[in-house]
Amino acid sequence: MFDHLKNIRQSKFTNWRYAHYQIYQIMLPYSPFLLSVIPVYLLFIIADIDHLQQGLATVIAIRLMLSISAVVMLVVLIKYKPKYLAMGEMILVLGVYFSLIYIGDLAISQGDYYYQSGGILVFFYLAALSRMPFIISSIMATIMIVAYSVVLFPAKYQFNAAAEIDALSIHLALYLVTIMACLRRDTETYRSYVQYRKIRNQQLALKKNQTILSIQNQTDSLTGVKNRLYLSGTVFHQINSQTQCAVLMLDIDNFKSINDTYGHPVGDKVIKVVASVLKHVCANENGVAVRYGGEEFVVVLFEYSLDDAQQVAEDIRAQVEKWLFAPEQFKVTISIGIAVKQLTDTQHYQLIEQADAALYQAKKAGKNQVCHYQR
């Protein structure tokens, strides 16, 4: 039952999250109950008229002013400052209770010793309708029972000791019931918060796993660049929405010979080196690198003209050519074909076909060079 009190020893951030949960998941949804107290409070004006011969106008004015102020305050807090709802409810409840204490004391001064039980309804409200944290609720209940014992009890005891002892016993019992009810409510709130956090953490973990899985499904496991699924699912859509972009189709020259001579592990190493060059270039440019299949790659450069694309392609080709693969001591070259989209009606599949045709021309012209598609 006291599990929620462990929250006090937790980190400030954890306590802040629990407080946030109390405000927005517990207090705010129940905030209309705060306003429902006001009509009940005002209905007692009828009883005031019957019990008070003097000071009636003052009592009615107190009830009206307190009610109007409470409504305005609560509406503002609910709409603009929900984090202060507990403070607003505390002010409202204590204001109502102390006004009842004042009215009861005023009735005693006029000889009426039977108009002092309205405060019991405030205890019932704390126990049944309020959603304030236990600490605030218990402090308020304590203040209320002390106020009754100090202000009303002495005068009523002098009037009828036996009856007032009985009334005080009822108040004390109600006070204890209110404390236990608030403690139980707070415990249930904390347990619901723990369950809420578990569900929320599961949702976040699921979302994270979905993101990781999505990245893995769209990433080439060998090189770390995007794969063909990402190209067809994301990049092609971006190409179709662009008014100007360039597609570079790259192929490692004589790759079959590399595999046959040095083995597939070395071939994989070559592919990874070429991919690292492409990733580095695309990180500095507005582009994306994709492993198209085997030793072939595609680079898409957004908002690039033919001249700019040729400069980037030549930079890629030169960087790959500089690599010296040890310990075998051999170099690798690549051939690149370029196609540029300059009309909005050019689709992605046309650019891929054009870049592939330009790549074929680069291979045919002797490899290790850059060619662009000419219409």
Side-chain angles (χ1 to χ4, degrees):
M1 188 172 185
F2 297 95
D3 289 346
H4 71 288
L5 296 178
K6 297 177 182 178
N7 188 55
I8 298 174
R9 298 192 297 270
Q10 295 178 353
S11 67
K12 289 183 179 180
F13 180 69
T14 300
N15 290 336
W16 175 85
R17 288 198 304 189
Y18 178 50
H20 186 274
Y21 175 82
Q22 283 184 306
I23 294 168
Y24 291 95
Q25 301 297 328
I26 303 298
M27 293 199 66
L28 196 56
Y30 281 88
S31 56
F33 287 110
L34 300 177
L35 296 174
S36 69
V37 173
I38 304 301
V40 177
Y41 178 67
L42 290 176
L43 280 175
F44 275 88
I45 292 178
I46 299 174
D48 294 337
I49 295 173
D50 183 54
H51 285 271
L52 300 175
Q53 287 76 39
Q54 298 177 358
L56 179 61
T58 302
V59 169
I60 294 176
I62 290 174
R63 287 188 184 271
L64 290 175
M65 289 178 60
L66 182 60
S67 299
I68 294 172
S69 301
V71 169
V72 172
M73 177 184 67
L74 291 175
V75 169
V76 171
L77 291 179
I78 290 170
K79 189 172 183 179
Y80 299 106
K81 295 290 184 179
K83 65 180 181 179
Y84 297 117
L85 264 176
M87 182 184 299
E89 184 175 358
M90 179 181 69
I91 294 172
L92 168 62
V93 173
L94 288 180
V96 167
Y97 189 80
F98 282 125
S99 70
L100 295 177
I101 291 289
Y102 169 77
I103 294 170
D105 189 52
L106 184 62
I108 290 175
S109 68
Q110 299 176 28
D112 188 339
Y113 290 87
Y114 302 100
Y115 194 46
Q116 291 81 36
S117 300
I120 291 177
L121 295 178
V122 182
F123 280 101
F124 276 122
Y125 169 82
L126 274 181
L129 296 180
S130 175
R131 288 299 180 271
M132 285 185 293
F134 168 72
I135 294 178
I136 297 177
S137 299
S138 60
I139 291 174
M140 289 176 57
T142 302
I143 293 174
M144 287 158 53
I145 194 67
V146 169
Y148 178 87
S149 302
V150 172
V151 179
L152 298 181
F153 174 76
K156 295 188 67 177
Y157 181 80
Q158 290 181 359
F159 175 72
N160 190 331
E164 184 53 23
I165 290 294
D166 188 46
L168 182 61
S169 299
I170 294 174
H171 274 79
L172 290 173
L174 185 57
Y175 165 74
L176 294 175
V177 170
T178 301
I179 293 294
M180 295 306 296
C182 293
L183 179 59
R184 177 183 176 184
R185 180 179 65 235
D186 217 41
T187 301
E188 292 174 350
T189 298
Y190 184 73
R191 288 176 179 171
S192 68
Y193 163 74
V194 172
Q195 187 65 26
Y196 168 82
R197 288 304 309 169
K198 287 181 180 179
I199 296 173
R200 179 62 176 161
N201 289 337
Q202 290 172 352
Q203 291 174 336
L204 293 175
L206 179 61
K207 185 177 180 180
K208 180 180 179 180
N209 291 335
Q210 288 174 335
T211 302
I212 293 174
L213 183 60
S214 176
I215 293 173
Q216 290 175 341
N217 287 339
Q218 297 181 348
T219 303
D220 179 62
S221 59
L222 177 64
T223 62
V225 299
K226 297 300 182 181
N227 60 17
R228 199 159 178 169
L229 178 62
Y230 181 80
L231 179 69
S232 60
T234 302
V235 179
F236 282 169
H237 176 73
Q238 294 174 322
I239 290 175
N240 293 336
S241 64
Q242 292 281 323
T243 57
Q244 185 179 47
C245 66
V247 173
L248 280 58
M249 182 77 77
L250 302 85
D251 185 80
I252 301 174
D253 297 330
N254 307 312
F255 185 72
K256 184 178 183 302
S257 175
I258 294 172
N259 273 339
D260 294 341
T261 303
Y262 303 105
H264 288 281
V266 175
D268 287 346
K269 181 180 178 181
V270 171
I271 291 175
K272 285 193 270 188
V273 167
V274 173
S276 68
V277 171
L278 298 181
K279 284 193 290 185
H280 176 73
V281 171
C282 288
N284 297 325
E285 309 290 343
N286 184 20
V288 59
V290 176
R291 187 180 181 192
Y292 197 65
E295 70 275 19
E296 283 189 315
F297 293 87
V298 169
V299 172
V300 180
L301 301 171
F302 300 105
E303 300 179 1
Y304 269 71
S305 65
L306 175 59
D307 291 339
D308 293 335
Q310 283 182 313
Q311 184 176 351
V312 173
E314 185 58 37
D315 181 43
I316 293 172
R317 187 203 64 78
Q319 288 191 45
V320 172
E321 189 178 21
K322 290 178 182 179
W323 273 87
L324 179 63
F325 290 85
E328 296 83 2
Q329 298 294 310
F330 70 93
K331 288 191 173 185
V332 171
T333 61
I334 59 173
S335 299
I336 304 176
I338 304 174
V340 177
K341 177 181 180 180
Q342 295 177 326
L343 300 173
T344 56
D345 59 352
T346 305
Q347 298 298 306
H348 63 270
Y349 63 87
Q350 295 172 305
L351 284 174
I352 294 294
E353 291 174 356
Q354 293 169 5
D356 190 52
L359 174 61
Y360 176 77
Q361 292 297 323
K363 292 283 190 180
K364 187 177 180 181
K367 303 177 182 179
N368 191 26
Q369 55 188 281
V370 176
C371 289
H372 69 272
Y373 177 78
Q374 296 180 348
R375 291 177 174 82

